[in-house]
Amino acid sequence: MHETFEHTADLGLRIRAGDLEALFVEAAQCLFEAIVEDLSTVQPLRRVDIVLAKDEPDYLLFDWLKELLYHFDSEHLLFGRFEAHVTEQGLTGSAWGEVLDRSRHNLEHEVKAITYHGLKVEKTENEWLAEVIVDI
Amino acid sequence: MPKETYHGPLEQVDACCYRIPKSYKPGMRVDGLIFANEKLIDAVKKDQAAEQVANVAFLPGIQHASLAMPDIHWGYGFCIGGVCATDPDEGGVISPGGVGYDINCGVRLMRSNLYYRDVKPHIRDLVESLFRNIPTGVGKSGRYEFRGKEIHQLLADGSRYLLSRGLAEQRDIDYTEAHGKLDGADPDQVSDHAKNRGAEQCGTLGSGNHFLEVQIVDAIFDADAAAVMGLEKDMVCVMIHSGSRGLGYQVCDDALHMLRKAPEKYGIELPDRQLACAPINSPEGVKYIAAMRAAANFAWCNRQLLMQQAREVFADMFGRKWQEMQMNLVYDVCHNIAKFEEHAIGGKTKKVWVHRKGATRAFPPEHPEIPPLYRKIGQPVIIPGDMGRASWVLVGQPGSMEKTFGTTCHGAGRAMSRTAALKDAIGRRIDKELEARGVIARAQSRKGLAEEQPKAYKNVDDVVEVVHNAGLSRKVARMRPIGVIKG
């Protein structure tokens, strides 16, 4: 489950999930929903793999989103489907998508960067909660 | 971290300034000072911006006060509209958050010898052509590409590199802050990730609050200064607001990653991770400064290429060379930067790192860094407002050196969050509303237009009133938009 929350100049993403891996997948979806109007218009034609070394969960989430954003900005790759596995070694994840096609993809926001401001990943009694503010 | 109101102290110093005393939080090294009047201070209390002013006061080596301009609003780490100066000789730090992701985001103003009556009949076609020919919006590549040796040279030499490529004139360089080049830029400190993001983005506008506007001079407040700048009532100008695009964002990102453990390493206590910093002369500090300067050079090239493309569109539309239409750069000034400057502090002259995060340099008359033509009137300051009301041209005043390390405001400042602006726009056509006000607007994203609607911003006239009355900068001309392109 994910939603956006108010931040004066930028945009807040709030994500809840049953486990850490689902949290990472939901967070990536939430990020790309902020970029493209309708995520279902993105076809899974190309796969990008992301491997991150072990770190605190908040930094791991930050780096996961940052890497996905890099692929969008440098190669114009939009992603609509994600997988993430968190192990003792860190994170291995994949994202499926395609190159931006303006005739089919309506874009919404240019996310300049993921920020550390108010960055939060925490485990509550029965779920994981993350908050990330992205720079618009 | 959802939106919360500020409940801390705000003591009125005078009609244009409020203080957060350093006793507010243990760890604050100096007071916070917010330049605002009674009308604007109420908006300041509505979010966490004032708290951020207090947080910046924690930075080692900070001088005088943690400052904020009247267009202050909640940012990440630093507030937008924040200014802080740090002294390397007193353990001062450099903080990428005090510059922002969009390194050298800034504004340039180009004049012409066209008047409203010349352009009015063609404005719709003109805006359409600007929108078609100038890349705007998310994920848009430009017609220029700089890789390998070319991007290296561009990052090292800034606008001067474009001069050597025939994409700039000497006059363009002369009227750009720092002549469009910061010395000490080191392209080798800019990651391949950053260079890849920037390779196809030089000469692209981007999204968010960035814009290119066709404006007319609506009112003149200082006839002498306006004459020196070549501005006359009803004259058509072009204002460009953009920055260092993906390259700058990545430079900031890389620096923040490098600095994750720096506060621990150097024993710096910070109330917000986004304020991550390192001593100016540390290996981390030196590396960031060299990369930040390179990104600043990229931003000047970006605005130069945007201006070149606008000149070509005008030339095509009016069937005359842009030189014949005297489409000359008035000035280009940045509002997200850290620069090593000399200032008088506590009776001594010191060289300090002035961080301007959403704040504009505003040097007074006779300052040596001002182009000779403007030395008598003060440095031109370009203040973009919202797309329905106005933008401003100001000049720096002596008060800026006394109070704000030679700095003034940078824009209107947001009054509504993006989400609130979107809700507010449900069922409305922002482009039609603007048209009714005499502004033709084209944008890639409908949501973008809604989020950037005039109502989402404070009235820039109120902000300018404060910096004018506080003696930070003086009103020269008010500009009115007639055509807008956005991402």
Side-chain angles (χ1 to χ4, degrees):
Chain A
M1 197 185 83
H2 54 263
E3 60 184 354
T4 56
F5 65 90
E6 283 201 22
H7 182 279
T8 309
D10 301 309
L11 197 64
L13 315 180
R14 184 178 294 122
I15 309 107
R16 294 173 205 276
D19 57 55
L20 201 54
E21 295 180 343
L23 189 82
F24 278 58
V25 168
E26 286 262 347
Q29 279 170 355
C30 191
L31 173 67
F32 278 88
E33 278 174 15
I35 295 172
V36 67
E37 219 171 77
D38 181 1
L39 214 54
S40 71
T41 59
V42 180
Q43 297 172 29
L45 304 178
R46 268 177 68 179
R47 190 181 87 187
V48 166
D49 295 323
I50 289 166
V51 179
L52 298 170
K54 189 182 173 189
D55 212 329
E56 299 298 319
D58 51 353
Y59 283 142
L60 218 46
L61 177 69
F62 182 100
D63 288 341
W64 158 247
L65 296 177
K66 186 177 86 167
E67 284 301 313
L68 292 171
L69 189 61
Y70 167 71
H71 285 287
F72 171 63
D73 207 28
S74 58
E75 300 158 51
H76 303 168
L77 272 175
L78 276 173
F79 299 112
R81 205 184 111 206
F82 309 89
E83 260 180 39
H85 304 287
V86 182
T87 64
E88 277 298 301
Q89 283 74 44
L91 177 141
T92 54
S94 300
W96 286 262
E98 61 173 323
V99 173
L100 165 67
D101 174 353
R102 280 175 180 267
S103 68
R104 290 187 293 113
H105 304 128
N106 286 329
L107 296 179
E108 273 190 7
H109 292 103
E110 180 184 45
V111 175
K112 288 180 184 169
I114 316 299
T115 82
Y116 294 91
H117 180 57
L119 175 66
K120 182 161 89 177
V121 174
E122 56 185 36
K123 192 173 187 323
T124 58
E125 217 169 286
N126 43 20
E127 64 173 9
W128 282 85
L129 167 73
E131 283 183 3
V132 188
I133 293 172
V134 297
D135 185 16
I136 301 289
Chain B
M1 184 182 279
K3 191 166 167 167
E4 287 166 19
T5 49
Y6 173 73
H7 298 293
L10 274 173
E11 303 166 354
Q12 187 158 14
V13 179
D14 58 36
C16 300
C17 188
Y18 288 77
R19 178 190 293 119
I20 304 172
K22 71 175 181 181
S23 56
Y24 171 46
K25 282 181 166 185
M28 282 176 73
R29 294 166 194 262
V30 290
D31 289 343
L33 289 177
I34 299 174
F35 286 82
N37 58 16
E38 273 184 30
K39 185 174 176 187
L40 291 172
I41 203 72
D42 282 338
V44 173
K45 293 175 192 162
K46 285 184 186 158
D47 63 26
Q48 292 290 296
E51 198 68 34
Q52 294 183 319
V53 175
N55 289 346
V56 169
F58 280 64
L59 293 180
I62 187 168
Q63 303 292 301
H64 174 49
S66 165
L67 303 165
M69 297 297 118
D71 46 335
I72 175 175
H73 58 265
W74 188 21
Y76 38 86
F78 275 63
C79 66
I80 316 292
V83 182
C84 111
T86 52
D87 183 351
D89 295 335
E90 292 182 22
V93 291
I94 187 95
S95 175
V99 174
Y101 283 97
D102 197 357
I103 296 165
N104 188 2
C105 184
V107 207
R108 68 170 52 193
L109 181 72
M110 173 168 67
R111 68 180 289 281
S112 74
N113 63 9
L114 302 173
Y115 290 84
Y116 187 35
R117 58 178 181 271
D118 306 318
V119 169
K120 197 179 173 190
H122 310 286
I123 187 65
R124 196 173 292 276
D125 290 343
L126 180 63
V127 171
E128 196 55 51
S129 182
L130 287 165
F131 190 63
R132 218 175 28 244
N133 288 290
I134 297 175
T136 57
V138 186
K140 207 67 186 271
S141 290
R143 61 193 243 204
Y144 307 99
E145 195 177 329
F146 301 96
R147 293 186 193 273
K149 276 184 190 159
E150 291 185 329
I151 188 85
H152 191 95
Q153 258 185 292
L154 185 149
L155 292 171
D157 295 335
S159 302
R160 281 183 194 283
Y161 170 68
L162 297 183
L163 187 66
S164 72
R165 292 275 307 261
L167 295 165
E169 309 262 311
Q170 183 57 46
R171 215 199 122 89
D172 299 335
I173 310 290
D174 294 343
Y175 294 102
T176 301
E177 176 177 344
H179 302 289
K181 179 201 175 187
L182 289 184
D183 291 330
D186 184 355
D188 290 332
Q189 300 301 338
V190 176
S191 68
D192 288 342
H193 257 41
K195 286 172 186 157
N196 287 339
R197 283 180 77 170
E200 296 176 14
Q201 291 187 350
C202 205
T204 67
L205 196 60
S207 170
N209 60 357
H210 294 161
F211 65 73
L212 183 147
E213 284 185 2
V214 181
Q215 303 177 339
I216 55 166
V217 180
D218 188 38
I220 287 182
F221 294 79
D222 180 335
D224 292 343
V228 172
M229 291 186 211
L231 299 177
E232 288 173 32
K233 175 120 171 65
D234 286 338
M235 181 180 272
V236 172
C237 295
V238 174
M239 190 177 280
I240 295 166
H241 179 202
S242 189
S244 48
R245 311 288 292 111
L247 182 135
Y249 316 157
Q250 189 69 41
V251 165
C252 182
D253 222 3
D254 291 340
L256 289 171
H257 190 268
M258 170 178 75
L259 294 176
R260 273 183 189 175
K261 305 271 184 251
E264 238 171 25
K265 179 177 168 187
Y266 295 106
I268 301 168
E269 277 196 35
L270 295 171
D272 181 348
R273 272 189 285 185
Q274 189 72 33
L275 290 176
C277 56
I280 289 153
N281 296 320
S282 67
E284 294 91 342
V286 169
K287 192 175 159 65
Y288 168 67
I289 288 168
M292 182 262 296
R293 285 170 160 163
N297 291 347
F298 183 92
W300 275 310
C301 292
N302 182 38
R303 290 196 289 278
Q304 174 66 31
L305 292 179
L306 287 165
M307 180 173 77
Q308 280 296 99
Q309 294 172 89
R311 282 168 167 170
E312 287 170 18
V313 169
F314 270 75
D316 189 49
M317 176 71 53
F318 295 99
R320 291 159 67 195
K321 287 185 178 165
W322 66 261
Q323 290 91 342
E324 279 175 38
M325 290 184 281
Q326 296 174 3
M327 300 190 73
N328 297 326
L329 178 61
V330 174
Y331 202 61
D332 176 303
V333 67
C334 57
H335 52 229
N336 276 5
I337 197 83
K339 289 176 96 177
F340 198 37
E341 294 171 358
E342 207 170 80
H343 288 278
I345 303 163
K348 278 194 250 171
T349 301
K350 290 183 178 184
K351 276 203 95 171
V352 289
W353 275 93
V354 182
H355 298 67
R356 297 189 178 99
K357 165 79 177 292
T360 316
R361 195 186 73 172
F363 284 162
E366 302 307 333
H367 195 286
E369 282 199 41
I370 302 177
L373 177 69
Y374 298 143
R375 207 149 294 164
K376 287 263 179 296
I377 60 169
Q379 177 216 302
V381 175
I382 325 284
I383 305 295
D386 65 70
M387 58 185 158
R389 284 177 285 197
S391 292
W392 282 85
V393 179
L394 315 174
V395 280
Q397 288 293 283
S400 75
M401 296 308 270
E402 293 155 19
K403 298 175 186 170
T404 56
F405 302 106
T407 311
T408 190
C409 62
H410 90 305
R414 287 194 77 90
M416 285 164 100
S417 71
R418 292 186 178 276
T419 10
L422 269 181
K423 271 186 210 149
D424 186 78
I426 291 172
R428 292 165 52 204
R429 282 283 302 268
I430 303 298
D431 55 343
K432 296 285 175 208
E433 289 178 21
L434 285 166
E435 202 175 321
R437 295 162 82 152
V439 186
I440 304 297
R442 288 297 316 267
Q444 296 284 358
S445 149
R446 275 168 294 174
K447 267 197 182 176
L449 208 56
E451 290 176 5
E452 293 291 321
Q453 61 170 305
K455 230 172 118 182
Y457 284 87
K458 296 175 198 171
N459 187 342
V460 70
D461 296 355
D462 294 338
V463 171
V464 165
E465 201 61 33
V466 174
V467 293
H468 179 89
N469 291 337
L472 307 182
S473 44
R474 194 173 78 236
K475 295 177 191 176
V476 174
R478 189 177 192 269
M479 315 293 290
R480 180 163 68 83
I482 55 169
V484 182
I485 66 165
K486 286 187 76 75

